Amino acid sequence: MLNRFSAVAVAALAWHCLAFAQTATPSHHQTFQNQPLQNQTLQNQTLQNQTLQNIYGRTHQNLDGRWHYIVDPYETGYYDYRRKPYDESEKGTGGYYDDRQPKDKGDIVEYSFDGSPTLAIPGDWNSQDAKLEFYEGTVWMRQKFTAAPKEGKRYFLYFGAVNYEAHVYLNGRKLGSHKGGFTPFQFEVTGKLAAGSNTVVVKADNKRHQDEIPTVSTDWWNYGGITRDVLLAEVPDTYIADYKVQLAKGDARRIEGYVQLDGSRKEQEITVAIPEANLSARVRTDANGRAALRIPVGKLRYWSPEDPKLYGVTIAAGSDRVADRIGFRTIETRGKDILLNGRSTFWRGVSIHDENPLIPGRLRGAGDMRMLLQWAKDMNCNYVRLAHYPHSEEMIRLADEMGLMVWAEVPVYWTISWQNPDTLRNARQQLTELVVRDKNRASVVVWSIGNETPVSEPRNAFMFTLADTVRALDDTRLVGAALEVHRNGKEVTVEDPLAEKLDLASFNEYAGWYWASNKDMLDFHFNIPYDKPVMITEFGADALGGFHGDADTRWSEEYQDQLYKNQFRMLEAIPGLRGITPWVLVDFRSPRRPHPYFQDFWNRKGLISQTGKRKQAFHTLKAYYDKKQQQYQQYQ
């Protein structure tokens, strides 16, 4: 079992993970997790269940829209009265996924999708039905669509995200299941589509469990449902399943990566072209469908927040062709400096949740996402922490386009079941899905493996494995985690073995709010014992927008504003300070925040209120960022 592995065995497991995870991401988790941890077996299993790289660049049919739904708190549509799943019975029928209609007036059918209300998909159910605001459990959703499958083509049913556990059925037959509420998965449906009308049914269950990722306790709303796009993708029989086209680690003069084919003709010539940069390469895939890329670079505009240049990249193999827009940049640390394209930078950031404060619920599309990212840019940010889970692919692509560096994170949050091997497997799975999806996005500069996890031997082993896993998957970006601080008298420090495995001395601290006050917080000082760049991943204070008092009045805009000013004085004394992401851009909903006046189930640490009004601290942070930008212009 994983929790009994020696250090050598864990390292070996990470190597096995590398061998298959760069080429694909498993989506049928039940099948994947029950396989022996053997290299060839996992390569084959993963290749069969991979998600398409750059799904939006493929021919596809969008299945979004109004889906009929049935709320099922007792899971009557999944289990029989003996608590046995219908889809595991001999016939495989009996559940709501049958979408049955009465055969005659004497037939009993105790559910009806046709007679049920509808939800907008993508979208959570909590914000669309008042009865479901706090609901945690199973909801069934059904969509009908027309298909015209072609000979010689392959088809994949793709989900951008379903929270948390999804079971998917096509025309009454189960395709598979997936755990993880923020990463994509797909099922091949070649040969399973009907010519004409088809029905897809999804059982989504957002119940929290101790052994899952995230665990039972979080500080955000547990939005349930199909929260990102549903697509039916069409590809040739042999197709480009995956690719990586990025600058080599620490080398701005060489593009490295790979192309992975899947299908009956795995050995063929591949062409990779970047016409605007006058770059191209021809390589041949091996018997496994894989070819390595190494392309020397001449003149190139490197991606940065000041110049977010994206190049058109095309990859062609036989009858398949994929087009992408990719930026090229290097990111590395040297002592206490962070070097973007070889130049020292200060990351002027803010943390963001995947939630629209103005229209309740998860972000539903590019308009919502661009609004939040533009608010960050209005504050002169060059960097955002997308917390505490993977945000959508569209959000990352917008960051590419708008020039915002990204801290991308998985929801290994607070106290996880550190000694449960299935929990570790789940965490590694979600981390892999994140990295595989976003590895071609220049904006992503940090892979974060967790937030505020308490130090212990089991936790250390768990987190060390995640650090090794992500480095095996991608060595071109920094690895971070939001650590916790410890206080000894008036000294604040980080005492965490995990810090040695990270590229950044990155931590959360809430001086002035959860410990100390505006009056005494300046008596504290930081001692960070690492020769690494220091990144403050969270600090902040709650302020109800429009509530005013003096700088000692909790919940007032003045208290929050003074706390920010005091934080700047404290943090500037840290020699290696190279960036901050205060908590948080905008107020967000949380069941942990019940105060009837100041909170009303909102976390009020936003610099922008739930109505979109900028609080005083917004302007104070912008002024600080303006000064930091001027200070670091000498390095540009």
Side-chain angles (χ1 to χ4, degrees):
M1 303 297 284
L2 292 179
N3 61 330
R4 295 178 182 172
F5 276 5
S6 65
V8 174
V10 170
L13 177 58
W15 186 90
H16 285 310
C17 177
L18 169 64
F20 66 85
Q22 283 187 313
T23 61
T25 304
S27 59
H28 187 169
H29 281 197
Q30 284 187 334
T31 301
F32 169 77
Q33 290 182 355
N34 291 330
Q35 294 293 321
L37 292 175
Q38 297 175 355
N39 188 35
Q40 191 59 52
T41 300
L42 287 174
Q43 283 189 11
N44 294 339
Q45 182 65 41
T46 303
L47 192 58
Q48 293 168 9
N49 294 306
Q50 65 183 336
T51 51
L52 285 162
Q53 182 69 200
N54 184 17
I55 183 68
Y56 295 100
R58 314 310 306 239
T59 299
H60 64 267
Q61 177 180 349
N62 193 303
L63 304 186
D64 295 345
R66 305 299 303 193
W67 289 48
H68 287 275
Y69 72 98
I70 299 172
V71 182
D72 188 14
Y74 280 20
E75 297 183 292
T76 306
Y78 185 70
Y79 295 106
D80 66 18
Y81 77 110
R82 301 294 189 191
R83 199 66 180 175
K84 300 291 185 181
Y86 287 112
D87 60 29
E88 295 178 13
S89 67
E90 184 177 347
K91 292 184 178 180
T93 62
Y96 289 177
Y97 52 85
D98 290 340
D99 193 18
R100 277 192 59 205
Q101 304 295 323
K103 291 179 289 186
D104 53 47
K105 64 182 181 181
D107 193 15
I108 298 176
V109 180
E110 295 186 292
Y111 65 93
S112 170
F113 280 108
D114 290 340
S116 297
T118 62
L119 291 170
I121 301 298
D124 58 274
W125 64 59
N126 314 76
S127 63
Q128 298 188 59
D129 184 339
K131 297 191 301 293
L132 300 180
E133 182 179 10
F134 287 89
Y135 180 73
E136 295 183 324
T138 286
V139 173
W140 296 84
M141 289 161 278
R142 188 207 69 184
Q143 177 70 298
K144 291 188 173 182
F145 64 96
T146 301
K150 303 170 187 173
E151 191 73 24
K153 299 290 187 180
R154 295 172 68 177
Y155 295 89
F156 295 90
L157 185 59
Y158 176 98
F159 294 83
V162 179
N163 190 36
Y164 168 76
E165 181 173 343
H167 295 251
V168 181
Y169 305 82
L170 178 67
N171 298 327
R173 295 299 178 185
K174 188 168 189 175
L175 298 176
S177 60
H178 177 269
K179 282 186 178 182
F182 305 98
T183 48
F185 59 98
Q186 71 180 32
F187 305 101
E188 180 161 9
V189 294
T190 307
K192 300 176 182 178
L193 289 168
S197 180
N198 291 264
T199 300
V200 59
V201 174
V202 176
K203 175 187 183 292
D205 184 352
N206 70 332
K207 287 194 299 289
R208 293 165 296 125
H209 300 280
Q210 175 60 45
D211 293 334
E212 300 295 344
I213 302 293
T215 185
V216 291
S217 184
T218 67
D219 190 20
W220 64 83
W221 209 269
N222 185 23
Y223 291 112
I226 304 172
T227 57
R228 294 176 189 160
D229 290 332
V230 184
L231 308 175
L232 178 65
E234 177 187 281
V235 296
D237 172 68
T238 298
Y239 64 96
I240 300 162
D242 193 17
Y243 57 87
K244 182 180 181 182
V245 184
Q246 287 282 278
L247 289 176
K249 181 180 181 180
D251 188 348
R253 294 299 176 187
R254 188 172 78 257
I255 289 173
E256 283 190 350
Y258 61 86
V259 178
Q260 178 71 49
L261 300 184
D262 186 29
S264 59
R265 295 183 57 244
K266 288 189 172 64
E267 295 184 69
Q268 34 178 306
E269 186 173 79
I270 306 287
T271 301
V272 179
I274 311 175
E276 187 180 352
N278 197 28
L279 296 173
S280 64
R282 291 181 182 271
V283 294
R284 189 167 185 82
T285 53
D286 60 21
N288 294 316
R290 192 176 182 86
L293 292 176
R294 293 179 182 84
I295 307 174
V297 171
K299 185 178 181 181
L300 199 67
R301 277 172 59 190
Y302 297 108
W303 185 97
S304 70
E306 295 74 29
D307 182 19
K309 173 62 180 175
L310 301 176
Y311 285 91
V313 178
T314 59
I315 303 171
S319 62
D320 199 16
R321 182 180 182 276
V322 180
D324 206 342
R325 298 176 70 227
I326 296 177
F328 299 98
R329 55 98 194 95
T330 60
I331 189 72
E332 58 190 322
T333 63
R334 184 179 303 156
K336 296 185 183 301
D337 280 330
I338 305 175
L339 305 180
L340 176 66
N341 300 322
R343 296 176 176 176
S344 181
T345 60
F346 187 92
W347 292 4
R348 311 184 305 271
V350 71
S351 299
I352 299 178
H353 260 301
D354 181 14
E355 180 183 277
N356 188 334
L358 306 181
I359 305 173
R362 287 270 175 244
L363 302 177
R364 291 174 172 83
D368 290 7
M369 298 170 197
R370 191 179 291 275
M371 176 185 74
L372 293 187
L373 294 179
Q374 187 58 53
W375 284 351
K377 288 185 70 71
D378 290 347
M379 206 159 51
N380 199 14
C381 291
N382 61 5
Y383 165 59
V384 289
R385 180 187 179 202
L386 299 183
H388 286 292
Y389 39 74
H391 290 220
S392 73
E393 179 175 346
E394 194 167 15
M395 187 75 154
I396 307 298
R397 286 183 176 273
L398 280 172
D400 265 13
E401 172 193 321
M402 297 173 68
L404 285 163
M405 295 180 287
V406 168
W407 167 297
E409 189 163 289
V410 289
V412 178
Y413 182 90
W414 290 357
T415 303
I416 303 296
S417 295
W418 306 117
Q419 299 186 68
N420 186 326
D422 288 334
T423 305
L424 175 60
R425 191 177 290 112
N426 187 342
R428 292 178 66 242
Q429 186 72 50
Q430 293 188 40
L431 181 60
T432 300
E433 289 169 345
L434 169 64
V435 174
V436 168
R437 189 193 71 180
D438 292 336
K439 60 183 176 292
N440 289 307
R441 306 281 70 83
S443 56
V444 178
V445 290
V446 178
W447 301 123
S448 171
I449 58 176
N451 178 81
E452 293 182 349
T453 56
V455 177
S456 71
E457 285 302 320
R459 171 270 195 181
N460 295 348
F462 188 108
M463 298 300 284
F464 288 1
T465 301
L466 293 187
D468 292 340
T469 297
V470 76
R471 289 194 189 280
L473 290 166
D474 178 22
D475 67 353
T476 66
R477 291 168 172 86
L478 308 181
V479 177
L483 306 179
E484 295 182 309
V485 295
H486 300 83
R487 302 192 305 278
N488 183 10
K490 298 297 184 180
E491 183 175 85
V492 184
T493 189
V494 176
E495 300 169 6
D496 193 333
L498 180 58
E500 299 293 346
K501 302 281 285 185
L502 308 176
D503 294 305
L504 305 169
S506 45
F507 56 87
N508 300 347
E509 56 85 8
Y510 279 93
W513 190 250
Y514 292 124
W515 49 273
S517 66
N518 275 342
K519 285 186 175 179
D520 60 16
M521 62 184 291
L522 291 175
D523 295 335
F524 290 82
H525 66 278
F526 289 86
N527 178 16
I528 310 303
Y530 304 103
D531 185 26
K532 298 181 179 185
V534 175
M535 183 68 56
I536 312 301
T537 40
E538 289 182 34
F539 69 80
D542 284 79
L544 177 63
F547 177 70
H548 294 285
D550 59 24
D552 296 322
T553 302
R554 296 267 182 169
W555 308 102
S556 69
E557 289 194 33
E558 288 77 10
Y559 189 102
Q560 184 189 52
D561 189 51
Q562 187 61 51
L563 181 142
Y564 269 71
K565 293 173 180 176
N566 290 351
Q567 281 279 351
F568 300 151
R569 290 177 59 186
M570 294 175 65
L571 300 179
E572 283 293 319
I574 301 175
L577 183 69
R578 292 297 181 271
I580 61 175
T581 52
W583 193 259
V584 59
L585 177 67
V586 61
D587 291 351
F588 63 94
R589 295 166 180 83
S590 172
R592 296 176 61 88
R593 311 290 174 168
H595 191 285
Y597 181 78
F598 293 117
Q599 296 169 310
D600 192 25
F601 297 107
W602 287 76
N603 186 310
R604 300 292 188 185
K605 293 185 181 66
L607 294 160
I608 299 173
S609 75
Q610 71 185 80
T611 62
K613 180 182 177 182
R614 297 172 180 182
K615 303 176 189 178
Q616 291 181 18
F618 178 100
H619 305 286
T620 295
L621 182 59
K622 182 184 185 304
Y624 175 74
Y625 282 165
D626 290 346
K627 292 178 182 177
K628 297 306 290 188
Q629 182 181 32
Q630 294 174 7
Q631 177 184 344
Y632 274 77
Q633 280 178 342
Q634 60 182 307
Y635 302 113
Q636 304 304 313

